[in-house]
Amino acid sequence: NQPLIMLRSCLLSSRLVLRGATRALPCRSSAEMLHDRLRLKFFTSIAAPSIASQSHTSVPKHKKPHAGSIQQNDPSADGKLVDTVGKLVRESVYFHADNSGILYLLAQRLPTLDLQLLSSVLHMCQRSTGLRIALGPHFGTLTRRLSEFDASMLTEYATACASTANEKNFHIFRAVGERLQPLLLDLTFEQLVRLNEAFAVVGYKHQPLIMKLETYFMEHPQWLNASDLRSFLRVMSSFQLTHMQVLLAACDRFESLASSCSTDDISSILQYLKTLRVPSNQNFIKRVERVCAKKIPLSNADQLSSLMFGTSMWVDSFPSLPALAATRLCELRDRFTLELLGPLCYAYGKLVYKDRLVIACVETQLATIFDTTTVDLNEKSVAALIDILFFFVVFDRRNVSSWNRILSLLSTWKGDVKPRQHSLLASIDRYLTLEGSDLNLALPLQLKQQFQQSKNRGELRRSVSYTTFADALTRLNYNVESNYDCGHNLIVHFAFPAQKIIVELLGPDLYIKSRGTPVGKKAVEYRQLERQGWKVLKVLADQWTVSRSKPKQNFFITSLLQPHAIHPATMASQPTEEVANQAASPATVMAVPANSADQVPEGVNSATS
């Protein structure tokens, strides 16, 4: 603290000393840290002299601030304290709970602050992540004051708590939900959305709040612009609310707003609608496709990547867009960063749209990025690298230099990957194991462990089509293996190992009807199975659901398997002579008098006997 005290006296006369001190440090991160500390001390000494002496005292880590440690409530000192924190927030000072005594004092004052000052603090938490993290553990002390909060303060409070939410402070959101009951009629649409998003963080479904939001949307859909519709669908997707009437109304509103929506809004809304499994309507699809076809030639790299990622979720609904995007990609080839190239590669890989120009542009731009920039690993860049690897796997591109660079970068990543990437990592690992032995490459061990743990935690989702198909095979007495493991974690629906035949049911999101091919992940699996000698029979779920009656199901399965010399199993043993003679003799009917109920077998009435 001694150098800081000496420099603080200089700061009162000249701010230039601050710049000179930070420039003298060899490391920029250290300079920024000292810069923030000096400004923190400077503002503390100017705005709140009475607090400055306390800010230098070290606070034991085991000591937790509580409301009882404040003997008196001084409104003037509280006002100076909040003003000081506001200046630090406006100056973008980095807050740290261990070295900032002013935050320790603010946490102590938090339960006794005036409502207006408390509202200012909650509003500042929306702007400063460091302030939210520092004050987050102390938000629970405000639950006893919720009866004083109005709808606006409740919204700010719930949003601030959601940023540091975990299972331990679930009671905070339950208390907020109870306080909201008499205030539901006073909530605006923005407040409804923000409150539902805050509750979704901890998985708390407040049914009256959700019903109020849906009612507001159904009564006034014309009041919502594209951003409001995007927020509304984000809430619906968070809680997986599949109320079909509400979703169809959202589709109608999106169709009317499509021409005025930005590419980010279109991409996000399409993703939310697909997550909620909204049934596709041809008029809706054609309208959205026309709007996207007009936006693609005018889009930049960011907009093109976002638009293609969103439309790829609908698989085969927009068949004309990949070709238009390929043309635009060649025009913008030098403007793609790694984070923008990843989603675009995922879209083309999922749609299995093999275009030589697209592949050449991706490889050229990736080499340029590696040669001219230093890749900073974070969640987005790691996700982009995995998407690019998946693109290479789908199109079987064995570019060793790119593979080496990407895998070496991924080997240094110690964090988690997004759940969407787990299935892609499984496909990449299987490709490297089965087909990349000549490349001498392997997926990093920490990434293998992540998707294997995800696979072990997940349960096999059995659809109605799968269940009825399995029942039909059992009814026809076929010797079939269900959920058969073909090796290397390749688990298929049904297999006949003796004949090396596999039967797979493909839903509408796993098959591209216009080209007659499965989507990228399934295409990779089937290619690897065929190289191991298996023959894959693909059955569309739509084809199977047409066969509703049992005779139709029997005919469908027989006509599917008979050309491949697969027949139902025969009786294992021949009938004995006694059974054969009994079967050859005419049936014997036992006559039982109608009035002798004692001779009738149990469970059979007299008329039936």
Side-chain angles (χ1 to χ4, degrees), residues 3-4 6-8 10-11 14-39:
L4 295 178
M6 295 174 62
L7 280 175
R8 188 178 55 184
C10 300
L11 286 172
S14 175
R15 300 285 301 270
L16 296 177
V17 179
L18 180 62
R19 300 178 185 175
T22 55
R23 287 176 183 172
L25 294 173
C27 179
R28 178 58 185 164
S29 59
S30 301
E32 291 176 350
M33 187 179 299
L34 179 59
H35 185 74
D36 294 341
R37 288 186 182 182
L38 290 175
R39 284 198 291 183

Side-chain angles (χ1 to χ4, degrees), residues 44 48-57:
T44 304
S50 61
I51 303 174
S53 59
Q54 301 180 38
S55 65
H56 298 297
T57 60

Side-chain angles (χ1 to χ4, degrees), residues 297-305 328-341 344 361 364-366 368-369:
L298 305 175
S299 60
N300 55 29
D302 189 3
Q303 295 169 345
L304 183 64
S305 177
R328 187 60 178 165
L329 171 63
C330 296
E331 297 172 357
L332 300 171
R333 67 175 67 188
D334 297 331
R335 302 181 185 179
F336 280 89
T337 62
L338 186 65
E339 288 77 6
L340 298 180
L341 199 62
L344 195 65
C361 286
T364 304
Q365 184 61 23
L366 186 63
T368 304
I369 292 173

